[in-house]
Amino acid sequence: MAANLKDIAREAGVSVTTASRALNGYSDVAEETRRKIERVAEALGYEPNTTARNLQRRRTDTIGLILPLSTELRFSDPFFSHFLTGVVEETASRAYNLNVSTSSHEVEHQTYLRLIRSRRFDGFIVVRTMREDVRINLLREHDIPFVAFGRTENDNDFHLVDDDGYAAMRLIVDHLVSLGHKRFACVSEPLYLTKAYHRVQGFIDGLRAHNLPVNDDMIIETLFRQPSGQAAAAQLLDRPVPPTAIVAVNDLLAIGAVAEAQERGLRVGHDVSTTGYDDILLSRYVTPPLTTIHQSARHMGKMVSKMLLQLINHEPIEEKQIILSSTLVVRQSSGPCP
């Protein structure tokens, strides 16, 4: 039978209250007494009742991450999988639990409200932020600790980690212009997502900075994965005057565009250039390898998780908002304008 507090108190010659306070780290127990109690607890194989302790502290040592139950975000998405790996590693290193839940897009705010009221979470990680994000408004109204992976369009007075997608897309446009391209197209994720909006704005302003025309019909808003990228590229390449450069806001869309070009007998990097964003592992091994923007999803996941745990535990946070710069990786999918 496992030892309990009474056993430890009796063996150490102290009261149950003193034994409890020593094992829970209270400062009003003398250091010599604390060490004696800890030695006895270890000798008896004592394991604390973490559930009872957390109830007393009104803590659960659990953080939540809610995913839309739709095609928007899947565990098979390479970028998200690596992001989640970073979150898991950081939470585990601090002996916290991660609860990943799903919700339909239409009632996502109701899922958040239900989980807030359940008091089963110490805080939340918000992913795929939207330009108008009811989830963030809800968490702020209820004064719940959270960190967002991304920004909103207006009031960003909350803890967040994001990449500078606007500046990164300017790098891509500059690179393609340096290769002589003048006819551009863009394939984007849904523009209600802040990251997609920022990246498309970077694309547009990049063209304007080089005095190149911005044609709305050459910017296609679609979903997230290869089939969507291929379908969008088909529309673009069917135009009477097709683009010589297709800029996608993620690697999966770009890989779909590459597939469409190759099915038409076009040589990617010669007849048409294609670029992605994220630098997922697959981008290095497609043919030709993909020019893209590198960012470390795993590192970002660790940063978001670390910031949330600091917030929950009232620890100092050096920066409330971290906006990361990304790096252009030039490979064979981009080449001189034909």
Side-chain angles (χ1 to χ4, degrees), residues 26-312:
Y26 285 90
S27 60
D28 58 352
V29 179
E31 187 60 31
E32 184 178 348
T33 303
R34 182 195 311 282
R35 288 199 296 267
K36 179 181 179 182
I37 292 169
E38 289 174 347
R39 287 196 299 270
V40 170
E42 184 177 0
L44 294 178
Y46 172 72
E47 294 184 3
N49 186 331
T50 54
T51 301
R53 184 173 64 187
N54 285 338
L55 284 171
Q56 185 180 29
R57 293 160 58 219
R58 296 189 176 181
R59 290 269 293 277
T60 65
D61 290 344
T62 301
I63 61 175
L65 194 161
I66 302 173
L67 304 180
L69 190 61
S70 69
T71 57
E72 293 182 8
L73 194 59
R74 298 179 180 176
F75 292 102
S76 58
D77 180 322
F79 183 84
F80 177 71
S81 295
H82 282 91
F83 174 82
L84 190 61
T85 296
V87 172
V88 169
E89 288 175 346
E90 186 64 29
T91 53
S93 73
R94 295 282 295 267
Y96 270 74
N97 302 307
L98 174 68
N99 185 301
V100 180
S101 306
T102 56
S103 171
S104 64
H105 180 71
E106 293 76 13
V107 296
E108 193 172 359
H109 69 284
Q110 296 178 10
T111 302
Y112 269 89
L113 190 58
R114 174 173 54 82
L115 294 178
I116 289 169
R117 289 171 174 167
S118 75
R119 300 184 180 180
R120 292 190 287 116
F121 300 93
D122 295 333
F124 291 89
I125 291 173
V126 180
V127 295
R128 288 267 168 108
T129 53
M130 293 171 260
R131 293 163 66 187
E132 299 290 336
D133 205 312
V134 66
R135 303 168 300 173
I136 288 175
N137 295 336
L138 190 65
L139 290 166
R140 293 170 78 177
E141 287 170 8
H142 287 81
D143 196 25
I144 302 297
F146 74 94
V147 174
F149 181 40
R151 288 166 278 177
T152 62
E153 191 167 21
N154 297 311
D155 182 9
N156 285 296
D157 187 21
F158 51 84
H159 292 81
L160 64 88
V161 176
D162 199 3
D163 81 300
D164 193 346
Y166 176 90
M169 290 295 271
R170 295 285 298 263
L171 290 176
I172 288 177
V173 172
D174 289 347
H175 164 65
L176 292 168
V177 169
S178 74
L179 294 171
H181 292 276
K182 295 181 179 179
R183 299 202 309 270
F184 284 77
C186 183
V187 181
S188 176
E189 300 172 353
L191 289 172
Y192 68 80
L193 294 171
T194 316
K195 69 161 185 167
Y197 179 75
H198 284 167
R199 293 176 189 181
V200 171
Q201 288 303 120
F203 170 78
I204 291 171
D205 288 351
L207 293 182
R208 287 174 175 161
H210 291 282
N211 297 313
L212 293 173
V214 177
N215 300 316
D216 290 342
D217 64 343
M218 298 298 271
I219 300 174
I220 295 183
E221 181 181 0
T222 184
L223 294 178
F224 303 88
R225 302 173 69 78
Q226 295 98 315
S228 299
Q230 184 165 8
Q235 293 181 51
L236 294 167
L237 294 172
D238 281 340
R239 301 280 160 82
V241 182
T244 62
I246 298 175
V247 177
V249 305
N250 74 41
D251 286 343
L252 296 181
L253 290 173
I255 290 169
V258 166
E260 179 61 26
Q262 290 174 336
E263 285 186 10
R264 293 168 179 249
L266 299 174
R267 296 170 302 156
V268 176
H270 298 275
D271 302 317
V272 63
S273 290
T274 305
T275 63
Y277 199 115
D278 291 333
D279 197 20
I280 62 174
L281 184 62
L282 183 61
S283 68
R284 307 171 200 177
Y285 298 105
V286 294
T287 303
L290 194 63
T291 293
T292 186
I293 293 293
H294 175 77
Q295 52 180 348
S296 174
R298 181 176 172 184
H299 178 61
M300 289 174 162
K302 292 172 80 72
M303 292 179 71
V304 169
S305 184
K306 179 180 179 181
M307 185 182 289
L308 178 56
L309 296 178
Q310 288 174 322
L311 190 60
I312 289 169

